[in-house]
Amino acid sequence: MTLKKVSVIGLGYIGLPTAAIIASRGMNVVGVEVNQNAVDIVNAGKIHIVEPDLDIVVRSVVSTGNLRAVTTAEPADVFIIAVPTPFIHSDDDSHQPDLSYIESAANTIAPVLAKGNLVILESTSPVGTTEKLATWLAKARPDLSFPQNRGDAADINVAYCPERVLPGYVLRELVSNDRVIGGMSKSCSTKAVELYRTFVHGECIVTNARTAEMSKLTENSFRDVNIAFANEISIICDKLQINVWELIKLSNRHPRVNILNPGPGVGGHCIAVDPWFIVDSCPKEAQLIKQARLINDHKPFHVIEQIMHAADEFKRPVIACLGLAFKADIDDLRESPALHIVEHLASKKIGRLIAVEPNVKSYPAHLTQLGVEFTSLETALAIANVIVILVDHKQFKMADKTQFSTKVVIDTRGIL
Ligand code: SAJ
C-alpha cells in the first residue's frame, strides 16, 4: 500500500463520512475545512451534521488519532475534494454551476502537492470540471506535470470519482455501493482504485473522467425525470378525480412498469440541482431533463393551490402542515418543497398556520416571525381543520389514522 495519508477537503455531508470511514480502516486522515467551528467540533470527536451512526465512527477515529481536522492543507499521498457545487442563482433563469469552491480547493492543496500524489474530485460536477481542476493545479504548480499533458507519465494523478450515497444511509452505502472511477489516465485510475479498495466492498469500475462526471449527473437526472413523471400523473389524476396512489399501485403490477412516488416537489441539494448542469452544458439537447426540472419545481405551487382551495371552505381556517424536511426521517431543510410551501402560505396569511417537524431541534426563526406556530403532532391534529401531509416521517405514518377522519386532508405523500 503506497497511499498512507489521505487529506479530505471539505468536511460536509460527504467529506466527513468519507474521512471517517477511511480513518476507520487504519489510515492517517486529515480533514481540511474552512469552517473553524466544524473543525473544533470534529476534533472534539463530535459531528456538525446529522447522519445516523456517524457520531460513533467519528468519536472512535478521533480518539485513536486517525482523523484530525485542520484549516490549512498539509502534505498527503491522496487529496479528496468534497466541496459543494451549487448553481449560481440569477434573474435570467439560467442555472450555471458555481465551481468556485473547487477552484479554491485546488488553490488550497496546490502548495503542498508532491510528485506521486493522487487528487480525486468527488463533488458533483459538470462534464469537463476534472480537466479544469488539473489546469488550475498546473497553473499553481508549474514545477509539476499533470495528466492532461503527460498522461501516464505525469507527476500528479487526477481522477473523478463521484459519491452516490443516499442521505440517511451514508455509512452503509459508502462501503456497499459500486464506485465509478474516472481517471485522467490509466495510472490515475489504478491509483484511485487502490484507494477505494481500502473501504469499498462494491465493485470499482474504471472509465474516463468525462464519463464518470456524466454518470453522476445522469443518475440524478434519471431520478428527477422519473419523479417528474409521477408528479405529472398526480396533477392529471387530481383533475380527473382519480386516486393517484391506487392508480400507481395498479400500474406497477405490470412487470415492466415501476412508477416512483409523487410528492410536494423535489428537494435536497442533489436531485433538484444536478440536472441543471446537463441543461447548462447542452441547453438545446436536454429538453426532457429541463422539462422534468420545471415540472418538479412547479409541484409545490400545485399543492399551495390545493391548500388555498381547501381553506376556502372555512371561515377561520386552521391549517396544519406536517413536515418541513426535504424527505422522510431526516432533519435537512435545504431546498425543501415542504418548507417552501409553508413559507408561501405564511406570506399569504390565509388563516392560522401550524407546522409540525419532529426531526429538528430548533425551528426556523423566519417562520415564527411570519406567524407560523410550531406544535406537537397531537395538538396539530386536534385543532386544525385542514391537514397537509408534506413529509412521510415515521411519526406521521404511525399516527392513529382515525384522527384524520373528520378533517380536510391533503396527503401529498400518500401515507393515508
Ligand atoms: N422524491 C419523491 N418521490 C420519490 C423519490 C424521491 O418525491 O419517489 C423526492 C424526495 O422526497 C426528495 C427528493 O425527491 O425531496 C430527493 O430525494 P431522493 O431520496 O430521491 O434523493 P437524495 O437527494 O436524498 O439523494 C440522491 C440519490 N440519487 C439517486 O438516487 C439517483 C443519492 O444516491 C445521491 O448520492 C444523492 O442524490 C447525491 O448526493 O447526489
Side-chain angles (χ1 to χ4, degrees), residues 13-14 124 162-168 170 173 177 215-224 226-228 230-231 245 259-272 274 293 296 325-328 330 332 334-338 390-392 412-413:
Y13 280 85
I14 298 303
T124 304
E163 61 79 17
R164 313 156 109 180
V165 290
L166 196 66
V170 169
E173 291 207 352
N177 286 1
S215 77
K216 168 70 191 195
L217 302 179
T218 303
E219 289 157 17
N220 280 356
S221 299
F222 173 86
R223 194 148 169 89
D224 199 41
N226 281 280
I227 299 169
N231 278 335
W245 307 103
I259 303 169
L260 293 181
N261 296 318
V266 168
H269 33 97
C270 308
I271 307 247
D274 305 352
R293 266 301 55 249
N296 286 334
F326 87 82
K327 66 178 192 175
I330 59 168
D332 196 340
R334 288 179 297 171
E335 312 287 336
S336 169
L390 292 174
V391 189
D392 43 347
T412 71
R413 298 285 185 173

Short mmCIF file of all heavy atoms in Angstrom, two decimals, residues 13-14 124 162-168 170 173 177 215-224 226-228 230-231 245 259-272 274 293 296 325-328 330 332 334-338 390-392 412-413, ligand 1:
data_model
loop_
_atom_site.label_atom_id
_atom_site.label_comp_id
_atom_site.label_asym_id
_atom_site.label_seq_id
_atom_site.Cartn_x
_atom_site.Cartn_y
_atom_site.Cartn_z
N TYR A 13 -21.42 16.90 4.30
CA TYR A 13 -22.26 15.69 4.27
C TYR A 13 -21.57 14.50 3.61
O TYR A 13 -21.91 13.36 3.90
CB TYR A 13 -23.59 16.00 3.55
CG TYR A 13 -24.58 16.70 4.45
CD1 TYR A 13 -24.55 18.09 4.61
CD2 TYR A 13 -25.52 15.98 5.16
CE1 TYR A 13 -25.45 18.73 5.45
CE2 TYR A 13 -26.42 16.61 6.01
CZ TYR A 13 -26.38 17.97 6.14
OH TYR A 13 -27.28 18.59 6.99
N ILE A 14 -20.63 14.76 2.70
CA ILE A 14 -19.91 13.66 2.05
C ILE A 14 -18.50 13.55 2.61
O ILE A 14 -18.02 12.45 2.95
CB ILE A 14 -19.84 13.90 0.51
CG1 ILE A 14 -21.25 13.92 -0.09
CG2 ILE A 14 -18.96 12.85 -0.18
CD1 ILE A 14 -22.07 12.66 0.16
N THR A 124 -20.11 16.66 -7.15
CA THR A 124 -20.91 16.57 -8.38
C THR A 124 -20.53 17.74 -9.28
O THR A 124 -20.56 18.89 -8.85
CB THR A 124 -22.41 16.64 -8.04
OG1 THR A 124 -22.68 15.60 -7.11
CG2 THR A 124 -23.27 16.49 -9.27
N PRO A 162 -17.29 10.00 -8.45
CA PRO A 162 -18.47 10.60 -7.81
C PRO A 162 -18.96 9.81 -6.61
O PRO A 162 -18.90 8.58 -6.61
CB PRO A 162 -19.53 10.55 -8.92
CG PRO A 162 -19.11 9.43 -9.80
CD PRO A 162 -17.62 9.41 -9.76
N GLU A 163 -19.43 10.54 -5.61
CA GLU A 163 -20.11 9.86 -4.49
C GLU A 163 -21.54 9.60 -4.93
O GLU A 163 -22.08 10.33 -5.75
CB GLU A 163 -20.05 10.72 -3.23
CG GLU A 163 -20.72 12.09 -3.32
CD GLU A 163 -22.22 12.05 -3.18
OE1 GLU A 163 -22.73 11.03 -2.69
OE2 GLU A 163 -22.88 13.02 -3.59
N ARG A 164 -22.16 8.53 -4.41
CA ARG A 164 -23.54 8.20 -4.81
C ARG A 164 -24.37 7.79 -3.62
O ARG A 164 -25.32 7.02 -3.74
CB ARG A 164 -23.52 7.03 -5.80
CG ARG A 164 -22.54 7.17 -6.88
CD ARG A 164 -22.19 5.80 -7.41
NE ARG A 164 -22.76 5.62 -8.73
CZ ARG A 164 -22.62 4.52 -9.44
NH1 ARG A 164 -21.97 3.50 -8.96
NH2 ARG A 164 -23.17 4.42 -10.62
N VAL A 165 -24.00 8.27 -2.43
CA VAL A 165 -24.65 7.78 -1.21
C VAL A 165 -25.96 8.50 -0.92
O VAL A 165 -26.10 9.69 -1.20
CB VAL A 165 -23.71 7.91 0.00
CG1 VAL A 165 -22.58 6.91 -0.12
CG2 VAL A 165 -23.17 9.31 0.13
N LEU A 166 -26.90 7.77 -0.34
CA LEU A 166 -28.20 8.32 -0.01
C LEU A 166 -28.19 8.87 1.40
O LEU A 166 -27.87 8.12 2.34
CB LEU A 166 -29.26 7.21 -0.14
CG LEU A 166 -30.71 7.66 -0.21
CD1 LEU A 166 -30.97 8.44 -1.49
CD2 LEU A 166 -31.64 6.45 -0.14
N PRO A 167 -28.50 10.18 1.57
CA PRO A 167 -28.55 10.72 2.94
C PRO A 167 -29.41 9.83 3.84
O PRO A 167 -30.48 9.38 3.44
CB PRO A 167 -29.18 12.10 2.75
CG PRO A 167 -28.85 12.48 1.34
CD PRO A 167 -28.83 11.19 0.57
N GLY A 168 -28.93 9.55 5.03
CA GLY A 168 -29.64 8.65 5.94
C GLY A 168 -29.04 7.25 5.93
O GLY A 168 -29.20 6.49 6.87
N VAL A 170 -25.66 6.85 4.58
CA VAL A 170 -24.36 7.18 4.02
C VAL A 170 -23.28 6.17 4.41
O VAL A 170 -22.53 5.69 3.55
CB VAL A 170 -23.94 8.62 4.42
CG1 VAL A 170 -22.49 8.89 4.09
CG2 VAL A 170 -24.83 9.64 3.72
N GLU A 173 -23.86 2.90 2.48
CA GLU A 173 -23.69 3.00 1.03
C GLU A 173 -22.27 3.37 0.61
O GLU A 173 -21.84 3.00 -0.48
CB GLU A 173 -24.71 3.99 0.44
CG GLU A 173 -26.14 3.45 0.53
CD GLU A 173 -27.06 4.00 -0.56
OE1 GLU A 173 -26.67 4.90 -1.30
OE2 GLU A 173 -28.20 3.49 -0.64
N ASN A 177 -21.90 0.50 -2.04
CA ASN A 177 -22.18 0.90 -3.43
C ASN A 177 -21.00 0.61 -4.35
O ASN A 177 -19.84 0.71 -3.94
CB ASN A 177 -22.46 2.41 -3.51
CG ASN A 177 -23.82 2.77 -2.95
OD1 ASN A 177 -24.56 1.92 -2.48
ND2 ASN A 177 -24.13 4.05 -2.98
N SER A 215 -21.86 10.32 -15.55
CA SER A 215 -22.63 9.23 -14.94
C SER A 215 -23.33 9.73 -13.69
O SER A 215 -24.50 9.42 -13.45
CB SER A 215 -21.75 8.01 -14.65
OG SER A 215 -20.97 8.22 -13.50
N LYS A 216 -22.66 10.54 -12.90
CA LYS A 216 -23.29 11.08 -11.69
C LYS A 216 -24.50 11.96 -12.05
O LYS A 216 -25.58 11.85 -11.47
CB LYS A 216 -22.24 11.89 -10.91
CG LYS A 216 -22.78 12.73 -9.80
CD LYS A 216 -23.27 11.89 -8.66
CE LYS A 216 -24.04 12.71 -7.68
NZ LYS A 216 -24.24 12.09 -6.41
N LEU A 217 -24.29 12.84 -13.04
CA LEU A 217 -25.38 13.74 -13.44
C LEU A 217 -26.54 12.95 -14.04
O LEU A 217 -27.71 13.28 -13.83
CB LEU A 217 -24.87 14.76 -14.47
CG LEU A 217 -23.70 15.64 -14.03
CD1 LEU A 217 -23.27 16.58 -15.15
CD2 LEU A 217 -24.09 16.46 -12.79
N THR A 218 -26.20 11.89 -14.75
CA THR A 218 -27.23 11.06 -15.39
C THR A 218 -28.07 10.34 -14.35
O THR A 218 -29.30 10.26 -14.46
CB THR A 218 -26.56 10.05 -16.35
OG1 THR A 218 -25.80 10.79 -17.29
CG2 THR A 218 -27.58 9.19 -17.08
N GLU A 219 -27.42 9.81 -13.32
CA GLU A 219 -28.15 9.07 -12.28
C GLU A 219 -29.19 9.98 -11.60
O GLU A 219 -30.35 9.60 -11.43
CB GLU A 219 -27.17 8.54 -11.23
CG GLU A 219 -26.30 7.40 -11.74
CD GLU A 219 -25.00 7.25 -10.96
OE1 GLU A 219 -24.88 7.78 -9.85
OE2 GLU A 219 -24.09 6.59 -11.49
N ASN A 220 -28.76 11.17 -11.22
CA ASN A 220 -29.69 12.06 -10.52
C ASN A 220 -30.76 12.62 -11.47
O ASN A 220 -31.90 12.83 -11.06
CB ASN A 220 -28.93 13.17 -9.80
CG ASN A 220 -28.37 12.67 -8.47
OD1 ASN A 220 -28.62 11.54 -8.07
ND2 ASN A 220 -27.61 13.50 -7.78
N SER A 221 -30.40 12.80 -12.74
CA SER A 221 -31.40 13.27 -13.71
C SER A 221 -32.42 12.17 -13.98
O SER A 221 -33.61 12.44 -14.15
CB SER A 221 -30.74 13.67 -15.03
OG SER A 221 -29.84 14.72 -14.79
N PHE A 222 -31.95 10.93 -14.02
CA PHE A 222 -32.86 9.79 -14.22
C PHE A 222 -33.93 9.80 -13.13
O PHE A 222 -35.12 9.66 -13.39
CB PHE A 222 -32.06 8.48 -14.17
CG PHE A 222 -32.90 7.24 -14.19
CD1 PHE A 222 -33.31 6.69 -15.39
CD2 PHE A 222 -33.29 6.61 -13.01
CE1 PHE A 222 -34.09 5.54 -15.42
CE2 PHE A 222 -34.08 5.47 -13.03
CZ PHE A 222 -34.48 4.93 -14.24
N ARG A 223 -33.48 10.00 -11.88
CA ARG A 223 -34.43 10.00 -10.77
C ARG A 223 -35.38 11.21 -10.87
O ARG A 223 -36.57 11.09 -10.66
CB ARG A 223 -33.66 10.03 -9.44
CG ARG A 223 -34.52 9.68 -8.24
CD ARG A 223 -33.69 8.99 -7.19
NE ARG A 223 -34.39 8.86 -5.92
CZ ARG A 223 -35.17 7.82 -5.61
NH1 ARG A 223 -35.37 6.86 -6.48
NH2 ARG A 223 -35.75 7.76 -4.44
N ASP A 224 -34.82 12.35 -11.23
CA ASP A 224 -35.63 13.57 -11.34
C ASP A 224 -36.72 13.40 -12.41
O ASP A 224 -37.88 13.77 -12.20
CB ASP A 224 -34.72 14.75 -11.69
CG ASP A 224 -35.37 16.09 -11.38
OD1 ASP A 224 -36.02 16.20 -10.32
OD2 ASP A 224 -35.24 17.03 -12.18
N ASN A 226 -38.00 10.64 -13.52
CA ASN A 226 -39.00 9.65 -13.08
C ASN A 226 -39.93 10.22 -12.01
O ASN A 226 -41.13 9.91 -12.01
CB ASN A 226 -38.30 8.39 -12.58
CG ASN A 226 -37.86 7.52 -13.75
OD1 ASN A 226 -38.67 6.81 -14.32
ND2 ASN A 226 -36.61 7.64 -14.14
N ILE A 227 -39.40 11.05 -11.12
CA ILE A 227 -40.27 11.69 -10.12
C ILE A 227 -41.20 12.69 -10.82
O ILE A 227 -42.38 12.82 -10.49
CB ILE A 227 -39.45 12.38 -9.01
CG1 ILE A 227 -38.58 11.36 -8.26
CG2 ILE A 227 -40.38 13.08 -8.00
CD1 ILE A 227 -37.54 11.97 -7.32
N ALA A 228 -40.66 13.39 -11.83
CA ALA A 228 -41.49 14.35 -12.58
C ALA A 228 -42.66 13.63 -13.24
O ALA A 228 -43.78 14.14 -13.28
CB ALA A 228 -40.65 15.07 -13.63
N ALA A 230 -44.14 10.95 -12.14
CA ALA A 230 -45.11 10.66 -11.07
C ALA A 230 -45.86 11.93 -10.67
O ALA A 230 -47.08 11.91 -10.47
CB ALA A 230 -44.39 10.05 -9.87
N ASN A 231 -45.13 13.04 -10.57
CA ASN A 231 -45.78 14.30 -10.18
C ASN A 231 -46.78 14.76 -11.25
O ASN A 231 -47.86 15.25 -10.93
CB ASN A 231 -44.72 15.38 -9.93
CG ASN A 231 -44.12 15.28 -8.53
OD1 ASN A 231 -44.78 14.75 -7.62
ND2 ASN A 231 -42.91 15.76 -8.34
N TRP A 245 -52.62 7.22 -5.92
CA TRP A 245 -51.90 6.15 -5.21
C TRP A 245 -52.42 4.79 -5.63
O TRP A 245 -51.65 3.86 -5.86
CB TRP A 245 -52.01 6.35 -3.69
CG TRP A 245 -51.58 7.73 -3.32
CD1 TRP A 245 -52.38 8.79 -3.01
CD2 TRP A 245 -50.25 8.25 -3.34
NE1 TRP A 245 -51.64 9.92 -2.81
CE2 TRP A 245 -50.32 9.62 -3.00
CE3 TRP A 245 -48.99 7.68 -3.60
CZ2 TRP A 245 -49.20 10.43 -2.91
CZ3 TRP A 245 -47.86 8.50 -3.51
CH2 TRP A 245 -47.98 9.83 -3.17
N ILE A 259 -43.38 2.97 -11.38
CA ILE A 259 -43.56 4.43 -11.22
C ILE A 259 -43.15 4.82 -9.80
O ILE A 259 -43.49 4.14 -8.84
CB ILE A 259 -45.03 4.83 -11.49
CG1 ILE A 259 -45.42 4.37 -12.91
CG2 ILE A 259 -45.24 6.33 -11.32
CD1 ILE A 259 -46.91 4.46 -13.20
N LEU A 260 -42.40 5.92 -9.68
CA LEU A 260 -41.98 6.41 -8.35
C LEU A 260 -43.15 7.13 -7.67
O LEU A 260 -44.25 7.18 -8.21
CB LEU A 260 -40.77 7.33 -8.49
CG LEU A 260 -39.47 6.67 -8.97
CD1 LEU A 260 -38.35 7.70 -9.02
CD2 LEU A 260 -39.07 5.51 -8.08
N ASN A 261 -42.88 7.68 -6.51
CA ASN A 261 -43.94 8.33 -5.74
C ASN A 261 -44.05 9.82 -6.06
O ASN A 261 -43.04 10.53 -6.01
CB ASN A 261 -43.66 8.22 -4.24
CG ASN A 261 -43.68 6.78 -3.80
OD1 ASN A 261 -44.54 6.00 -4.21
ND2 ASN A 261 -42.72 6.41 -2.97
N PRO A 262 -45.26 10.30 -6.32
CA PRO A 262 -45.40 11.75 -6.41
C PRO A 262 -45.22 12.35 -5.01
O PRO A 262 -45.23 11.62 -4.02
CB PRO A 262 -46.84 11.94 -6.88
CG PRO A 262 -47.53 10.64 -6.72
CD PRO A 262 -46.52 9.57 -6.48
N GLY A 263 -45.03 13.64 -4.95
CA GLY A 263 -44.83 14.29 -3.64
C GLY A 263 -45.12 15.76 -3.79
O GLY A 263 -45.70 16.19 -4.80
N PRO A 264 -44.70 16.57 -2.81
CA PRO A 264 -44.97 18.02 -2.89
C PRO A 264 -43.95 18.75 -3.76
O PRO A 264 -43.98 19.97 -3.87
CB PRO A 264 -44.84 18.45 -1.43
CG PRO A 264 -43.85 17.50 -0.85
CD PRO A 264 -44.06 16.18 -1.56
N GLY A 265 -43.01 18.01 -4.35
CA GLY A 265 -41.92 18.61 -5.14
C GLY A 265 -40.64 17.88 -4.81
O GLY A 265 -40.64 16.99 -3.97
N VAL A 266 -39.57 18.25 -5.50
CA VAL A 266 -38.29 17.58 -5.28
C VAL A 266 -37.35 18.52 -4.54
O VAL A 266 -37.15 19.65 -4.96
CB VAL A 266 -37.67 17.13 -6.62
CG1 VAL A 266 -36.23 16.71 -6.45
CG2 VAL A 266 -38.48 15.98 -7.19
N GLY A 267 -36.81 18.04 -3.42
CA GLY A 267 -35.92 18.90 -2.64
C GLY A 267 -34.54 18.30 -2.48
O GLY A 267 -34.17 17.34 -3.15
N GLY A 268 -33.79 18.90 -1.55
CA GLY A 268 -32.43 18.46 -1.30
C GLY A 268 -31.46 19.20 -2.20
O GLY A 268 -31.88 20.03 -3.03
N HIS A 269 -30.20 18.89 -2.04
CA HIS A 269 -29.18 19.66 -2.74
C HIS A 269 -28.56 18.88 -3.88
O HIS A 269 -27.51 19.24 -4.40
CB HIS A 269 -28.11 20.08 -1.72
CG HIS A 269 -27.94 19.04 -0.66
ND1 HIS A 269 -26.97 18.12 -0.70
CD2 HIS A 269 -28.72 18.75 0.41
CE1 HIS A 269 -27.13 17.29 0.33
NE2 HIS A 269 -28.17 17.65 1.01
N CYS A 270 -29.21 17.77 -4.29
CA CYS A 270 -28.63 16.95 -5.37
C CYS A 270 -29.58 16.87 -6.56
O CYS A 270 -29.30 17.41 -7.62
CB CYS A 270 -28.35 15.54 -4.86
SG CYS A 270 -27.39 15.55 -3.35
N ILE A 271 -30.73 16.19 -6.35
CA ILE A 271 -31.62 15.92 -7.48
C ILE A 271 -32.20 17.22 -8.04
O ILE A 271 -32.45 17.33 -9.24
CB ILE A 271 -32.75 14.97 -7.02
CG1 ILE A 271 -32.15 13.74 -6.36
CG2 ILE A 271 -33.70 14.64 -8.16
CD1 ILE A 271 -32.30 12.45 -7.03
N ALA A 272 -32.42 18.20 -7.17
CA ALA A 272 -33.01 19.46 -7.64
C ALA A 272 -31.96 20.38 -8.27
O ALA A 272 -32.29 21.45 -8.77
CB ALA A 272 -33.71 20.16 -6.47
N ASP A 274 -28.49 18.94 -9.77
CA ASP A 274 -27.58 18.33 -10.75
C ASP A 274 -28.09 18.32 -12.20
O ASP A 274 -27.30 18.53 -13.13
CB ASP A 274 -27.20 16.91 -10.32
CG ASP A 274 -26.63 16.87 -8.91
OD1 ASP A 274 -26.38 17.95 -8.34
OD2 ASP A 274 -26.42 15.76 -8.39
N ARG A 293 -37.31 19.11 -14.57
CA ARG A 293 -36.96 20.08 -13.52
C ARG A 293 -38.10 21.08 -13.32
O ARG A 293 -38.47 21.44 -12.22
CB ARG A 293 -35.70 20.84 -13.93
CG ARG A 293 -34.34 20.45 -13.53
CD ARG A 293 -33.92 20.34 -12.08
NE ARG A 293 -34.66 19.51 -11.21
CZ ARG A 293 -35.43 19.94 -10.21
NH1 ARG A 293 -35.54 21.22 -9.96
NH2 ARG A 293 -36.08 19.10 -9.44
N ASN A 296 -41.11 19.43 -11.62
CA ASN A 296 -40.88 19.21 -10.18
C ASN A 296 -40.84 20.52 -9.41
O ASN A 296 -41.30 20.60 -8.27
CB ASN A 296 -39.60 18.39 -9.97
CG ASN A 296 -39.81 16.94 -10.34
OD1 ASN A 296 -40.93 16.43 -10.30
ND2 ASN A 296 -38.74 16.25 -10.73
N ALA A 325 -38.95 18.92 6.41
CA ALA A 325 -37.70 18.42 5.82
C ALA A 325 -37.91 18.08 4.34
O ALA A 325 -39.03 17.96 3.87
CB ALA A 325 -37.24 17.18 6.58
N PHE A 326 -36.80 17.88 3.60
CA PHE A 326 -36.97 17.64 2.16
C PHE A 326 -37.37 16.22 1.86
O PHE A 326 -37.85 15.92 0.77
CB PHE A 326 -35.75 18.12 1.37
CG PHE A 326 -34.62 17.15 1.20
CD1 PHE A 326 -34.64 16.18 0.22
CD2 PHE A 326 -33.48 17.25 2.00
CE1 PHE A 326 -33.58 15.30 0.04
CE2 PHE A 326 -32.41 16.38 1.83
CZ PHE A 326 -32.47 15.40 0.85
N LYS A 327 -37.19 15.30 2.85
CA LYS A 327 -37.73 13.96 2.69
C LYS A 327 -37.86 13.29 4.06
O LYS A 327 -37.51 13.90 5.08
CB LYS A 327 -36.89 13.13 1.72
CG LYS A 327 -35.49 12.80 2.17
CD LYS A 327 -34.84 11.93 1.11
CE LYS A 327 -33.57 11.32 1.58
NZ LYS A 327 -33.00 10.40 0.62
N ALA A 328 -38.33 12.07 4.06
CA ALA A 328 -38.69 11.41 5.32
C ALA A 328 -37.50 11.15 6.24
O ALA A 328 -36.40 10.81 5.79
CB ALA A 328 -39.38 10.08 5.02
N ILE A 330 -35.38 12.70 8.10
CA ILE A 330 -34.12 13.46 8.20
C ILE A 330 -34.47 14.86 8.71
O ILE A 330 -35.64 15.24 8.74
CB ILE A 330 -33.34 13.55 6.85
CG1 ILE A 330 -34.20 14.21 5.78
CG2 ILE A 330 -32.88 12.19 6.38
CD1 ILE A 330 -33.40 14.59 4.55
N ASP A 332 -32.94 17.62 7.39
CA ASP A 332 -32.37 18.54 6.40
C ASP A 332 -33.48 19.36 5.72
O ASP A 332 -34.35 18.81 5.05
CB ASP A 332 -31.62 17.69 5.37
CG ASP A 332 -30.68 18.51 4.52
OD1 ASP A 332 -30.87 19.74 4.44
OD2 ASP A 332 -29.75 17.92 3.93
N ARG A 334 -32.80 21.86 3.56
CA ARG A 334 -32.27 22.56 2.38
C ARG A 334 -33.09 22.26 1.14
O ARG A 334 -33.39 21.11 0.85
CB ARG A 334 -30.81 22.16 2.14
CG ARG A 334 -29.89 22.79 3.19
CD ARG A 334 -28.46 22.38 2.98
NE ARG A 334 -28.28 20.95 3.15
CZ ARG A 334 -27.16 20.32 2.85
NH1 ARG A 334 -26.14 20.98 2.37
NH2 ARG A 334 -27.06 19.02 3.04
N GLU A 335 -33.44 23.30 0.41
CA GLU A 335 -34.23 23.19 -0.84
C GLU A 335 -35.47 22.34 -0.61
O GLU A 335 -35.87 21.57 -1.49
CB GLU A 335 -33.40 22.56 -1.98
CG GLU A 335 -32.03 23.13 -2.20
CD GLU A 335 -32.03 24.50 -2.84
OE1 GLU A 335 -33.02 24.84 -3.51
OE2 GLU A 335 -31.07 25.24 -2.62
N SER A 336 -36.09 22.46 0.57
CA SER A 336 -37.23 21.59 0.87
C SER A 336 -38.53 22.15 0.31
O SER A 336 -38.91 23.29 0.63
CB SER A 336 -37.37 21.42 2.38
OG SER A 336 -38.60 20.80 2.66
N PRO A 337 -39.25 21.37 -0.51
CA PRO A 337 -40.54 21.87 -1.01
C PRO A 337 -41.53 22.10 0.13
O PRO A 337 -42.35 23.02 0.06
CB PRO A 337 -41.03 20.77 -1.96
CG PRO A 337 -40.19 19.57 -1.68
CD PRO A 337 -38.93 20.04 -1.04
N ALA A 338 -41.45 21.28 1.19
CA ALA A 338 -42.37 21.44 2.33
C ALA A 338 -42.15 22.80 2.98
O ALA A 338 -43.10 23.54 3.26
CB ALA A 338 -42.12 20.32 3.34
N LEU A 390 -46.92 16.82 4.31
CA LEU A 390 -45.89 17.24 3.37
C LEU A 390 -44.68 16.31 3.35
O LEU A 390 -43.92 16.27 2.38
CB LEU A 390 -45.42 18.67 3.70
CG LEU A 390 -46.47 19.77 3.45
CD1 LEU A 390 -45.96 21.11 3.95
CD2 LEU A 390 -46.82 19.86 1.97
N VAL A 391 -44.46 15.59 4.46
CA VAL A 391 -43.33 14.66 4.54
C VAL A 391 -43.82 13.37 5.18
O VAL A 391 -44.61 13.41 6.12
CB VAL A 391 -42.17 15.25 5.39
CG1 VAL A 391 -40.93 14.37 5.28
CG2 VAL A 391 -41.83 16.67 4.96
N ASP A 392 -43.34 12.24 4.68
CA ASP A 392 -43.79 10.95 5.21
C ASP A 392 -42.89 10.47 6.35
O ASP A 392 -42.39 9.33 6.34
CB ASP A 392 -43.89 9.89 4.10
CG ASP A 392 -42.72 9.92 3.12
OD1 ASP A 392 -41.93 10.90 3.14
OD2 ASP A 392 -42.58 8.98 2.32
N THR A 412 -49.93 14.74 0.40
CA THR A 412 -49.04 14.80 -0.77
C THR A 412 -48.12 13.59 -0.87
O THR A 412 -47.48 13.40 -1.89
CB THR A 412 -48.17 16.08 -0.77
OG1 THR A 412 -47.17 15.96 0.26
CG2 THR A 412 -48.97 17.34 -0.54
N ARG A 413 -48.03 12.80 0.20
CA ARG A 413 -47.10 11.64 0.19
C ARG A 413 -47.81 10.30 0.17
O ARG A 413 -47.17 9.26 0.20
CB ARG A 413 -46.20 11.69 1.44
CG ARG A 413 -45.30 12.90 1.52
CD ARG A 413 -44.13 12.80 0.56
NE ARG A 413 -43.22 13.93 0.73
CZ ARG A 413 -42.05 14.02 0.12
NH1 ARG A 413 -41.65 13.09 -0.70
NH2 ARG A 413 -41.29 15.07 0.30
N1 SAJ B 1 -38.80 12.03 -4.02
C1 SAJ B 1 -40.12 11.95 -4.47
N2 SAJ B 1 -40.58 10.75 -4.93
C2 SAJ B 1 -39.80 9.63 -4.95
C3 SAJ B 1 -38.46 9.72 -4.52
C4 SAJ B 1 -37.99 10.94 -4.05
O1 SAJ B 1 -40.85 12.94 -4.47
O2 SAJ B 1 -40.31 8.57 -5.36
C5 SAJ B 1 -38.28 13.31 -3.54
C6 SAJ B 1 -37.83 13.29 -2.09
O3 SAJ B 1 -38.92 13.49 -1.22
C7 SAJ B 1 -36.84 14.43 -2.06
C8 SAJ B 1 -36.19 14.35 -3.44
O4 SAJ B 1 -37.09 13.62 -4.24
O5 SAJ B 1 -37.48 15.67 -1.90
C9 SAJ B 1 -34.83 13.71 -3.47
O6 SAJ B 1 -34.79 12.56 -2.62
P1 SAJ B 1 -34.08 11.19 -3.03
O7 SAJ B 1 -34.26 10.24 -1.93
O8 SAJ B 1 -34.51 10.76 -4.39
O9 SAJ B 1 -32.56 11.59 -3.24
P2 SAJ B 1 -31.43 12.38 -2.39
O10 SAJ B 1 -31.38 13.78 -2.90
O11 SAJ B 1 -31.59 12.20 -0.93
O12 SAJ B 1 -30.11 11.56 -2.85
C10 SAJ B 1 -29.83 11.44 -4.27
C11 SAJ B 1 -29.54 9.96 -4.57
N3 SAJ B 1 -29.51 9.77 -6.02
C12 SAJ B 1 -30.24 8.78 -6.62
O13 SAJ B 1 -30.97 8.04 -6.02
C13 SAJ B 1 -30.08 8.64 -8.09
C14 SAJ B 1 -28.20 9.56 -3.96
O14 SAJ B 1 -27.84 8.24 -4.34
C15 SAJ B 1 -27.10 10.54 -4.39
O15 SAJ B 1 -25.84 10.21 -3.85
C16 SAJ B 1 -27.50 11.92 -3.90
O16 SAJ B 1 -28.73 12.27 -4.56
C17 SAJ B 1 -26.38 12.89 -4.23
O17 SAJ B 1 -25.57 13.18 -3.34
O18 SAJ B 1 -26.27 13.29 -5.39
#
